[in-house]
Amino acid sequence: MELLNYTNSNSSESEASLLSSKDKKKKVNLKWRYLDVRVKLLIALCVLSILSNILFFLFGLNFKRSFNYTDDPQSITISNYSSYLAPISLLNSSFMFNSINSFLKQKDCDVFPVGVSYVPASIPKDTVVYHAGSGIPESYEWVAMDVEFSMNFAERSRSAFRGSAQVEHQRDLKLHPRDNKKYGPREDINFCEVSKDMEPFEMQRSKPGKEKVPTTLMSFRLKHDLDKLIYLDGASASKTSETGEMDTQALLYNQIKKTHPDFDDGSEKFMIERDYAEKICKWGEPLGIQGYVRLELGFEFVLCDFNEHLEMISNVSVASANKFLDLPEPIEISKDNGWPINCTDGFLIKEELTADQRKILELEDLRYNHLSSLDAMNGWEWLKAGNKHNKGEDKINLDYRYLVSAINKTELDVDNYKWKIVDDSEDSKDLQNEIFSDLISYYSNVQRFDPTKSTNWQLKTEGIMEKFTPYLKNIEQTLNDQEMLMIDKAFKINQLLHPLIKRYADQYPKKYDVDEIINTGVWEYTHPTHDLQTKADKLIFSSLATVTKEIFTQLITIHELSLTITNEYLKNGKLDDQNKYYMSFAKEQNSILNLINGLNWISFGYECSLKCGIDEICFTPSWGPSPMGWNSIKEKEREDQQNKEDRELAPGFFSDERSGLTKIKSEQVCLGLNYLLDRSMKRKF
Ligand SMILES: *[C@@H]1O[C@H](CO)[C@@H](O)[C@H](O)[C@H]1NC(C)=O
Ligand SMILES: *[C@@H]1O[C@H](CO)[C@@H](O)[C@H](O)[C@H]1NC(C)=O
Ligand SMILES: *[C@@H]1O[C@H](CO)[C@@H](O)[C@H](O)[C@H]1NC(C)=O
Ligand SMILES: *[C@@H]1O[C@H](CO)[C@@H](O)[C@H](O)[C@H]1NC(C)=O
Ligand SMILES: *[C@@H]1O[C@H](CO)[C@@H](O)[C@H](O)[C@H]1NC(C)=O
């Protein structure tokens, strides 16, 4: 409640002062006849008028400052919208189009991993969010939108090694000790010596640290709307540094360091993203910024102040799988304990096992397999939860009016994987300054973001994709068909596009006006549902209109040509002069195939051709930490990994030799629980 009052403090304060001045007036009214009272009244009036002047002056300044952003609504109509649009190249428009369409979608943000936009976001009151850790954080911390995500941090231990896995683990500890000095060169290792330091036989590996409060899975309710968040698009929690996924955070960090030399750096942190969080929260506090939303596997946000915004509703010490099963302590399989271990290579000497030992080993293996399968379920649940967000994260809303983006501010590569807005170049410095000052002006002028006042542009991109993907894909397939004759291609295109053109062609052919069709079509698919107010509105609307206009133009052109060819053929069952059309058809074919290539819509691929089973998901791999490991765009980083498993490409990726990057395959795979179980059995750490 206190907090609600706090956010409304401005309005309640002015209400309070209004009341008190009314009260004063009442009292004054009774005695107005006396001169001294009249003089006092006059003075009071003067003071009031001076005060109100000052107020108006201040308010006026404020008003002027925010004028550009909120108080200049532009209503536009089908007949005058084009005068509002600003020029933007097709490629830049297409970047904007795909960015907008990808916002808050797991799959899309993985397929286009580098985001260069900051979007004001809000999450409604009473939404339940999660955090795993020891106690309620005193400072900024990470909050997950999915319980399955947090669960993986709540239960970080895995079951103790048993049976054959324990023998393997002992070998591993000696071959790859954490502390490299402990063991000498390979030949010196005595595999029979049990490394007590590593506590290989304990039931549960506990996290080191002095904290007294155990790690728990905590659920919280939002005490009020979080209405001043920043959403960072792309794979913004991938924890990379060389590639561009985290550049939107790096940009803020650089600028804050530059403009606030007084902020000290705090204690050294394990990961740079903690430094980012510390600085961004400190800088954002006077601007009312509550945190920022990122994508990992599922969405999370860095919340700058837990106590202000969250109320705990549940707190669970998550028991490890092992505690649910009524199992004895693991049996120590060591030389000391009478097991035939080969001290030279650390393997069990199978032939020397006694009948009893064989039985024990078999039982321990069975126990370990079942425990591992329970452990693997955490990862499976997390994967499924992430997969659910391929369609979006509906609990988070965006206010597009105040989007700040590098798109159309700088030259970006055709290939999203190569986007990089933060580097040492002068261009990058200018860009960083420009973006930072745009953000400051929006966040300092807008009290709270309100997605309901913004056109939901993503609904527009989705509508356009749903409508035009089948046309474009069908046309592409038709045009690329080597067996098909030109006339058959013309027939097919005429057939495909007839319904689209017919819908706009009033009294064909008498009043057939291509410009009119395009104008109507573009408006129909892109029109805003709220008055346009800001630079961002203009950028987005212009981008969507530019893309849609190009699609209409190309479709109409190829349809007109196809119709001409069709009509001539249908006159007497043949074309008199094939060659007459051959060149122009080839030209149009080329042009539309280029367009399809340039649009690069996610809807052109990234599906499973086969329907997945009940215990499977159609899997798009993600970047950064996940149950499927940690994947990097840079091929080199993968190739340099220590573990063999980490050097292998995870499912869903391919190695793009031309660019030297790891990328996501367009054909996706169904991935089942069994895959994760196998993987969990194979991994030692
Ligand atoms: C477009 O027309 C509407 C309705 O007539 C008008 O209110 C608006 O100001 C016009 N907008 C522009 C940008 O000309
Ligand atoms: C959550 O539970 C843990 C373990 O029972 C306990 O130590 C901790 O104090 C609890 N935290 C809160 C905020 O209640
Ligand atoms: C022990 O391991 C070494 C090295 O692999 C091997 O040469 C030797 O034959 C093994 N001893 C037994 C008894 O299996
Ligand atoms: C996109 O916009 C930027 C900034 O205006 C410009 O430098 C760049 O050339 C544009 N890209 C294309 C392909 O037009
Ligand atoms: C895109 O960038 C160009 C060049 O900087 C600029 O002239 C144009 O107005 C921008 N378009 C939009 C829609 O912001």
Side-chain angles (χ1 to χ4, degrees), residues 312-355:
M312 183 184 271
I313 55 172
S314 120
N315 179 29
V316 177
S317 303
V318 180
S320 60
N322 168 46
K323 293 208 174 124
F324 279 93
L325 300 175
D326 192 11
L327 291 178
E329 289 285 308
I331 286 153
E332 181 179 320
I333 303 181
S334 65
K335 190 86 175 175
D336 284 356
N337 229 11
W339 290 77
I341 304 267
N342 183 338
C343 295
T344 323
D345 65 8
F347 288 115
L348 262 178
I349 307 167
K350 294 255 162 63
E351 310 81 61
E352 292 180 15
L353 286 169
T354 65

Side-chain angles (χ1 to χ4, degrees), residues 104 186 228 459:
L104 291 172
R186 173 70 180 76
K228 224 166 178 184
L459 289 181

Side-chain angles (χ1 to χ4, degrees), residues 106-260:
Q106 180 77 42
K107 177 167 93 174
D108 301 52
C109 290
D110 287 326
V111 169
F112 299 111
V114 185
V116 293
S117 300
Y118 301 80
V119 200
S122 73
I123 308 176
K125 176 173 181 277
D126 289 330
T127 301
V128 177
V129 296
Y130 309 91
H131 177 75
S134 44
I136 298 176
E138 310 258 293
S139 68
Y140 62 89
E141 255 306 338
W142 276 254
V143 179
M145 301 301 289
D146 297 323
V147 68
E148 295 87 350
F149 185 161
S150 270
M151 192 66 157
N152 275 269
F153 295 90
E155 197 198 348
R156 269 184 158 159
S157 56
R158 55 172 296 162
S159 303
F161 293 95
R162 287 176 174 264
S164 310
Q166 193 191 79
V167 178
E168 274 286 304
H169 181 56
Q170 277 291 303
R171 284 191 77 240
D172 259 5
L173 284 177
K174 300 242 157 87
L175 289 170
H176 311 287
R178 304 263 166 80
D179 174 2
N180 272 310
K181 284 181 216 107
K182 200 149 239 155
Y183 294 97
R186 173 70 180 76
E187 311 86 71
D188 297 346
I189 300 176
N190 173 3
F191 280 95
C192 287
E193 181 197 343
V194 171
S195 63
K196 289 285 182 214
D197 285 353
M198 300 297 182
E199 301 180 71
F201 303 117
E202 69 184 337
M203 287 294 278
Q204 194 180 329
R205 272 198 288 147
S206 53
K207 260 201 311 180
K210 286 150 244 116
E211 318 122 347
K212 298 219 174 60
V213 186
T215 296
T216 56
L217 174 69
M218 294 169 264
S219 315
F220 300 92
R221 172 188 82 83
L222 295 194
K223 292 197 236 178
H224 42 245
D225 290 355
L226 288 181
D227 48 18
K228 224 166 178 184
L229 295 167
I230 313 175
Y231 164 60
L232 305 174
D233 66 334
S236 45
S238 62
K239 306 179 202 302
T240 52
S241 54
E242 285 180 53
T243 41
E245 305 98 308
M246 305 271 286
D247 273 11
T248 40
Q249 283 156 89
L251 186 152
L252 287 177
Y253 178 72
N254 291 345
Q255 293 291 314
I256 295 165
K257 262 181 104 80
K258 205 173 82 184
T259 52
H260 295 80

Side-chain angles (χ1 to χ4, degrees), residues 198-420:
M198 300 297 182
E199 301 180 71
F201 303 117
E202 69 184 337
M203 287 294 278
Q204 194 180 329
R205 272 198 288 147
S206 53
K207 260 201 311 180
K210 286 150 244 116
E211 318 122 347
K212 298 219 174 60
V213 186
T215 296
T216 56
L217 174 69
M218 294 169 264
S219 315
F220 300 92
R221 172 188 82 83
L222 295 194
K223 292 197 236 178
H224 42 245
D225 290 355
L226 288 181
D227 48 18
K228 224 166 178 184
L229 295 167
I230 313 175
Y231 164 60
L232 305 174
D233 66 334
S236 45
S238 62
K239 306 179 202 302
T240 52
S241 54
E242 285 180 53
T243 41
E245 305 98 308
M246 305 271 286
D247 273 11
T248 40
Q249 283 156 89
L251 186 152
L252 287 177
Y253 178 72
N254 291 345
Q255 293 291 314
I256 295 165
K257 262 181 104 80
K258 205 173 82 184
T259 52
H260 295 80
D262 52 312
F263 286 6
D264 63 342
D265 285 345
S267 53
E268 199 183 320
K269 294 167 197 72
F270 175 55
M271 293 187 97
I272 183 82
E273 62 175 5
R274 286 207 85 85
D275 291 307
Y276 293 166
E278 185 177 47
K279 287 263 190 306
I280 295 170
C281 282
K282 197 162 175 185
W283 160 78
E285 198 188 335
L287 298 174
I289 295 172
Q290 297 142 342
Y292 52 97
V293 179
R294 316 190 303 171
L295 173 84
E296 195 172 290
L297 178 56
F299 290 86
E300 59 173 28
F301 56 99
V302 171
L303 184 64
C304 295
D305 187 334
F306 264 63
N307 282 311
E308 186 178 348
H309 307 296
L310 302 185
E311 177 188 290
M312 183 184 271
I313 55 172
S314 120
N315 179 29
V316 177
S317 303
V318 180
S320 60
N322 168 46
K323 293 208 174 124
F324 279 93
L325 300 175
D326 192 11
L327 291 178
E329 289 285 308
I331 286 153
E332 181 179 320
I333 303 181
S334 65
K335 190 86 175 175
D336 284 356
N337 229 11
W339 290 77
I341 304 267
N342 183 338
C343 295
T344 323
D345 65 8
F347 288 115
L348 262 178
I349 307 167
K350 294 255 162 63
E351 310 81 61
E352 292 180 15
L353 286 169
T354 65
D356 269 358
Q357 281 176 332
R358 266 173 220 281
K359 257 198 204 144
I360 292 172
L361 191 65
E362 212 169 279
L363 186 57
E364 283 287 89
D365 283 348
L366 181 68
R367 289 166 174 164
Y368 183 71
N369 285 359
H370 189 60
L371 276 172
S372 291
S373 78
L374 296 184
D375 285 342
M377 291 309 285
N378 273 350
W380 175 240
E381 293 295 305
W382 188 11
L383 272 187
K384 283 192 297 178
N387 197 61
K388 216 172 56 188
H389 297 302
N390 287 351
K391 291 201 185 76
E393 170 51 273
D394 299 337
K395 286 178 263 179
I396 304 175
N397 302 301
L398 300 177
D399 189 341
Y400 297 87
R401 296 174 298 168
Y402 306 104
L403 162 144
V404 175
S405 178
I407 295 170
N408 202 48
K409 283 200 176 73
T410 187
E411 185 104 42
L412 294 166
D413 201 282
V414 181
D415 184 352
N416 172 272
Y417 283 73
K418 293 187 184 158
W419 287 10
K420 189 98 188 68

